[in-house]
Amino acid sequence: MRHIISLLMENESGALSRVSGLFSARGYNIESLTVAPTEDSTLSRMTIVTSGSDEIIEQIIKQLNKLIDVVKVLDLNDGRFIERELMIVKVKANAQYRDEMKRMCDIFRGRIIDVSDSSFTIEITGSSSKLDAYIESIDKAAILETVRTGASGIGRGDRILKV
Amino acid sequence: MSSNHISGAEIVIRCLHEEKVKFVFGYPGGAVLNIYDAVFQQNKFKHVLVRHEQAAVHAADAYSRSTGKVGVALVTSGPGATNAVTGIATAYMDSIPMVIISGQVPTYAIGQDAFQECDTVGITRPCVKHNFLVKDIKDIASTIKKAFYVASSGRPGPVLVDIPKDITAEKYEFSYPKSVHLRSYNPIVKGHSGQIKKALSLLLNAKRPMIYSGGGVVLGDAASQLTKFVRAIGSPITSTLMGLGGFPASDKQFLGMLGMHGTYEANMAMQECDVLLAVGARFDDRVIGNPEHFLSKPKTIIHIDIDPSSISKRVKIDIPIVGDVISVLTELNDLLSKEKTKQNPSLKHWFKDIDQWRSMNCLSFKNDKKLIKPQFVIQTLHKVTKGDAFITSDVGQHQMWAAQYYPFDKPRRWINSGGLGTMGVGLPYAMGTQLAHPDAKVACVTGEASIQMCIQELSTCKQFHLPIKIINLNNRYMGMVRQWQEFFYGNRYAESYMEALPDFVKLAESYGHVGMKIEKPSDVEPALKEAFSNKLKERLVFMDFITDQKENVFPMVPNGKGLSEMITAEDL
């Protein structure tokens, strides 16, 4: 099953490679991994999207907790949460595609952030599966380039990950 | 600059003094010259110059294994650090508390492919508990303080501190932190009381209770608490390779070591028990074999371990107890002393089964008139040393024979590489052990293949007058490789024969030691007696025992099989 794991870690050089090294050394999957400093500049927050059986996920959480630089770990799937990912897509927007691309962008509540004679650059946010759905919905031949941030997640309501 | 400013190198030394370090094992080089200059100007710890950095780390590791203190090694940048990696990984796999200080090229040269530069923090990351690169002289003292704290607390392990050369030349005032707090690191000590109560009641009401103890008992200095508990509760107990000595091997309740080369009775009892208590052990592949086969006989498993990630890693645990083994065992002992019935009535029946398995006599072997049996050498070593020596070993058949035929009654007497299985550790392990225990008998049980992996340390032994007795079980084969090739590869002995062996007697003599070659069974005991006699008390004795080439280690659980699927000597 797909899990989103959030963690707070010391904002120190090498901390990211400790986490990514752990995943590769133990053969765990990483679908995506994002990291940036938090409002407290000594802490970074990382969101890891992974998948595995319940036993594997339990081990991943334990192994992450074992890393000395990791302050707190939360499996967002243990409760209710919100997930968002940003994707920027450059699509063909010549005469053949121009209307179609504008329409699909609106349907997925994207925004066109750059325009040229032959292309649109579109920004879309949402859950990773929504972004997947957008890619599925448009003509593959129209896609020039895509870039995705990987998912970020946060617990709903009173679920707070803080030191 | 105020007058109380000292160099970074001196700060490093002062930190080691604050940590009451007695020995530093190391090898100098460009990036640590400042530190070595400060080593030269102090006399609070002894620096032990090895002949290869790998041996420095192994020796520091054995110093730790045999004393419980943090072992310290000092190596230079680049090749110094990479040579140390095998030693660090060995210590990491067996959770040995160590601090390794490595030199690094100056901060301004990092990343420039400078001479003797390597990414030491990157290379060692997967095989340390934690590591640090010190980028500012202000951080040296607090980093070393943290390193010692992290290495020795929780589940112990090696910690590396990489220090660039320019930082050791700068000056700053020295102040050693009294305590250390890491918001991200709070090892659990006390176990959950409810779980502990549940565990005790399960053990008292079991039909076939079994205890399985591991290296955590030795590392956690919990041998006496474990012994007290096991004797009170009366159940059988087995131990992993790393746990030997955690419970007296001469005790009737002890079934011997379990696992791939465990005794028949220990493996059968593990398989057949209905309640299992695992203490400081981790259910690894060499211990329980195939996990599905292991669980095919239903059992309730209680697991005490300081590391939550050890729990339910290979085998699902019913009653996990995360905590320091000594704290949890103390609590169990307290609870047990308040119980009315301390021993469970089913034990009698259970021991009847066990005695039947015991009667297999799985460790029996036939002595030969002409050929020296390796098992006989170990048995005689036990007899001659009265079971009171520190035994280090290398890795292979001789290691298993030492574990099987030298019963340990005390913890920290059996020093070997269990997890990583590093050939070459035996001699440096004996060095670290002998330095820590100058008056004790220290024997290194090895083979002609393993010993050659760190043979250069005979020179270190000469320099530091280490009277180690080397028991070389020389069968002219990498014995364990040969055994697997015999059993599983149709007797095709690919590259496992040791040709062109040196004359070990002359080799030992050329290093200034005593060499002996023993070729007849009748000479084994006299030779060992001589080696351990007062006459040779001050000397290293290299004993080259020419042993039976075809001897195999039994019983054996083939790789991937279940514990009750052992091959015994009788089967072949």
Side-chain angles (χ1 to χ4, degrees):
Chain A
M1 190 189 150
R2 179 175 182 265
H3 279 248
I4 301 189
I5 296 168
S6 279
L7 59 95
L8 291 172
M9 56 202 272
E10 299 291 351
N11 187 11
E12 279 176 22
S13 68
L16 170 61
S17 55
R18 286 183 211 281
V19 172
S20 59
L22 167 69
F23 274 73
S24 61
R26 296 198 180 259
Y28 304 141
N29 297 316
I30 296 187
E31 205 176 284
S32 72
L33 186 159
T34 69
V35 61
T38 63
E39 76 285 1
D40 171 354
S41 63
T42 65
L43 283 174
S44 285
R45 178 155 171 160
M46 186 181 278
T47 310
I48 303 165
V49 180
T50 182
S51 59
S53 63
D54 290 352
E55 291 77 29
I56 300 269
I57 299 295
E58 185 183 330
Q59 266 299 312
I60 290 176
I61 303 283
K62 285 174 171 176
Q63 293 291 346
L64 285 169
N65 268 311
K66 205 168 142 177
L67 293 175
I68 308 289
D69 284 338
V70 170
V71 186
K72 264 192 180 166
V73 183
L74 178 68
D75 181 355
L76 287 176
N77 291 67
D78 282 347
R80 299 192 312 135
F81 67 98
I82 301 162
E83 168 198 349
R84 287 291 179 273
E85 182 176 357
L86 166 68
M87 173 166 66
I88 305 172
V89 199
K90 195 175 286 178
V91 292
K92 284 184 192 163
N94 51 18
Q96 184 198 343
Y97 285 112
R98 213 159 176 95
D99 292 347
E100 166 77 1
M101 285 304 148
K102 175 74 178 79
R103 197 161 52 241
M104 290 310 288
C105 175
D106 291 343
I107 291 171
F108 280 86
R109 296 197 191 118
R111 292 197 305 147
I112 297 172
I113 54 176
D114 188 45
V115 178
S116 76
D117 291 350
S118 57
S119 73
F120 287 155
T121 300
I122 298 167
E123 166 195 313
I124 303 179
T125 57
S127 68
S128 300
S129 58
K130 174 186 161 183
L131 306 189
D132 293 342
Y134 170 78
I135 294 287
E136 298 276 303
S137 308
I138 61 171
D139 186 349
K140 291 282 165 306
I143 300 173
L144 296 169
E145 192 181 346
T146 64
V147 54
R148 297 173 67 150
T149 57
S152 290
I154 197 161
R156 280 190 186 271
D158 293 337
R159 280 189 95 199
I160 289 162
L161 178 63
K162 211 174 164 71
V163 173
Chain B
M1 191 187 301
S2 91
S3 59
N4 58 359
H5 280 206
I6 58 175
S7 74
E10 289 170 286
I11 291 177
V12 171
I13 302 306
R14 292 279 295 275
C15 291
L16 298 179
H17 291 166
E18 291 284 339
E19 292 292 340
K20 306 207 164 33
V21 172
K22 290 278 172 291
F23 293 97
V24 171
F25 300 85
Y27 203 102
V32 282
L33 278 174
N34 293 328
I35 299 178
Y36 269 87
D37 195 44
V39 167
F40 187 85
Q41 297 175 58
Q42 63 85 46
N43 57 12
K44 286 195 178 156
F45 62 75
K46 190 175 179 119
H47 179 272
V48 180
L49 174 68
V50 294
R51 302 303 185 259
H52 186 292
E53 287 89 349
Q54 180 187 345
V57 183
H58 288 328
D61 167 343
Y63 176 82
S64 174
R65 287 180 201 240
S66 68
T67 62
K69 294 176 189 149
V70 176
V72 180
L74 172 60
V75 299
T76 193
S77 64
T82 56
N83 278 347
V85 168
T86 299
I88 299 171
T90 304
Y92 181 64
M93 282 293 268
D94 290 342
S95 309
I96 307 303
M98 291 188 57
V99 171
I100 300 99
I101 294 170
S102 55
Q104 182 54 276
V105 300
T107 45
Y108 53 79
I110 290 178
Q112 313 267 315
D113 296 324
F115 177 64
Q116 294 196 328
E117 178 183 2
C118 74
D119 175 11
T120 304
V121 164
I123 289 172
T124 57
R125 189 176 297 123
C127 61
V128 291
K129 184 170 173 186
H130 198 55
N131 58 17
F132 300 93
L133 171 63
V134 182
K135 287 187 194 143
D136 189 327
I137 188 168
K138 293 190 192 88
D139 298 332
I140 294 180
S142 62
T143 306
I144 294 180
K145 177 79 185 176
K146 277 184 203 164
F148 275 85
Y149 168 64
V150 170
S152 57
S153 55
R155 179 177 180 172
V159 176
L160 178 133
V161 182
D162 200 25
I163 311 178
K165 189 174 183 181
D166 54 334
I167 304 257
T168 60
E170 287 170 19
K171 299 212 162 165
Y172 192 67
E173 69 179 325
F174 174 68
S175 138
Y176 202 61
K178 289 238 166 4
S179 64
V180 53
H181 171 72
L182 291 163
R183 62 177 167 182
S184 58
Y185 175 71
N186 299 294
I188 298 161
V189 173
K190 204 181 161 316
H192 188 283
S193 297
Q195 296 283 83
I196 295 175
K197 270 190 199 130
K198 233 189 263 175
L200 184 63
S201 136
L202 275 164
L203 281 166
L204 286 172
N205 293 302
K207 286 211 159 58
R208 298 179 304 279
M210 179 69 182
I211 295 174
Y212 141 59
S213 82
V217 170
V218 177
L219 294 173
D221 288 318
S224 61
Q225 287 295 340
L226 175 73
T227 306
K228 187 177 166 193
F229 179 71
V230 177
R231 283 189 175 147
I233 207 157
S235 79
I237 174 169
T238 179
S239 159
T240 66
L241 180 75
M242 298 313 294
L244 294 175
F247 183 86
S250 54
D251 193 293
K252 274 202 313 273
Q253 284 168 260
F254 189 65
L255 307 189
M257 180 174 77
L258 84 163
M260 184 171 268
H261 294 296
T263 64
Y264 188 74
E265 51 271 32
N267 285 345
M268 290 304 286
M270 277 294 281
Q271 188 70 13
E272 297 296 319
C273 67
D274 66 343
V275 174
L276 176 65
L277 171 68
V279 192
R282 58 187 177 92
F283 295 87
D284 84 81
D285 55 316
R286 286 295 191 267
V287 165
I288 59 152
N290 180 334
E292 272 140 50
H293 184 277
F294 176 64
L295 294 176
S296 63
K297 186 95 190 184
K299 43 180 81 78
T300 306
I301 307 180
I302 307 156
H303 189 180
I304 307 171
D305 205 294
I306 197 157
D307 178 2
S309 75
S310 275
I311 287 170
S312 292
K313 185 164 70 181
R314 292 193 78 234
V315 166
K316 182 101 186 94
I317 302 302
D318 303 290
I319 313 284
I321 303 172
V322 176
D324 195 353
V325 284
I326 193 166
S327 151
V328 177
L329 285 167
T330 307
E331 206 168 327
L332 275 170
N333 277 324
D334 290 349
L335 282 176
L336 188 60
S337 66
K338 289 176 205 142
E339 288 280 335
K340 278 195 199 102
T341 357
K342 291 185 172 50
Q343 292 206 353
N344 129 12
S346 313
L347 280 172
K348 235 186 195 167
H349 264 287
W350 178 218
F351 269 105
K352 259 190 198 152
D353 292 343
I354 289 169
D355 286 340
Q356 202 150 14
W357 296 322
R358 260 184 176 151
S359 68
M360 278 265 309
N361 232 340
C362 68
L363 293 181
S364 67
F365 63 95
K366 279 199 201 82
N367 264 320
D368 191 279
K369 283 226 171 68
K370 287 202 183 106
L371 292 172
I372 299 177
K373 293 287 179 182
Q375 303 95 321
F376 172 65
V377 178
I378 305 294
Q379 277 184 339
T380 314
L381 174 68
H382 184 260
K383 185 176 156 194
V384 170
T385 57
K386 300 185 178 67
D388 202 29
F390 285 83
I391 305 292
T392 76
S393 94
D394 268 302
V395 170
Q397 284 185 320
H398 64 267
Q399 177 190 24
M400 292 300 116
W401 285 318
Q404 290 174 329
Y405 296 92
Y406 197 105
F408 292 93
D409 280 348
K410 292 179 195 161
R412 300 196 182 279
R413 292 300 176 107
W414 168 234
I415 317 287
N416 81 129
S417 164
L420 198 67
T422 308
M423 286 171 73
V425 295
L427 184 53
Y429 272 2
M431 292 168 9
T433 305
Q434 187 79 75
L435 283 158
H437 308 275
D439 299 322
K441 294 188 182 87
V442 177
C444 163
V445 175
T446 181
E448 81 292 339
S450 281
I451 191 70
Q452 292 192 84
M453 285 208 182
C454 272
I455 193 79
Q456 75 285 348
E457 296 308 317
L458 284 173
S459 177
T460 310
C461 294
K462 181 66 187 168
Q463 184 180 344
F464 293 90
H465 311 289
L466 304 177
I468 295 158
K469 313 303 173 203
I470 297 174
I471 316 294
N472 189 38
L473 300 177
N474 184 346
N475 61 0
R476 284 81 73 210
Y477 275 107
M478 292 162 212
M480 193 57 92
V481 173
R482 191 203 58 73
Q483 177 168 343
W484 282 54
Q485 288 169 336
E486 179 187 331
F487 290 3
F488 313 118
Y489 295 89
N491 298 302
R492 292 181 299 280
Y493 298 133
E495 303 298 323
S496 57
Y497 184 67
M498 274 278 163
E499 276 189 79
L501 284 173
D503 178 335
F504 285 110
V505 173
K506 281 190 188 153
L507 183 72
E509 286 169 357
S510 82
Y511 277 106
H513 302 303
V514 178
M516 289 182 186
K517 186 172 188 174
I518 302 98
E519 292 174 284
K520 285 196 306 226
S522 56
D523 291 340
V524 169
E525 188 167 338
L528 280 165
K529 277 190 173 152
E530 191 190 344
F532 284 98
S533 70
N534 268 336
K535 193 181 82 184
L536 295 177
K537 201 169 173 243
E538 313 283 315
R539 305 294 301 275
L540 183 148
V541 184
F542 192 115
M543 310 183 77
D544 190 20
F545 291 93
I546 308 302
T547 60
D548 184 353
Q549 292 195 277
K550 290 285 158 71
E551 198 57 42
N552 288 320
V553 182
F554 291 114
M556 178 174 189
V557 179
N559 211 10
K561 292 278 186 181
L563 278 181
S564 58
E565 301 174 306
M566 280 165 278
I567 310 173
T568 61
E570 316 257 292
D571 294 335
L572 291 169

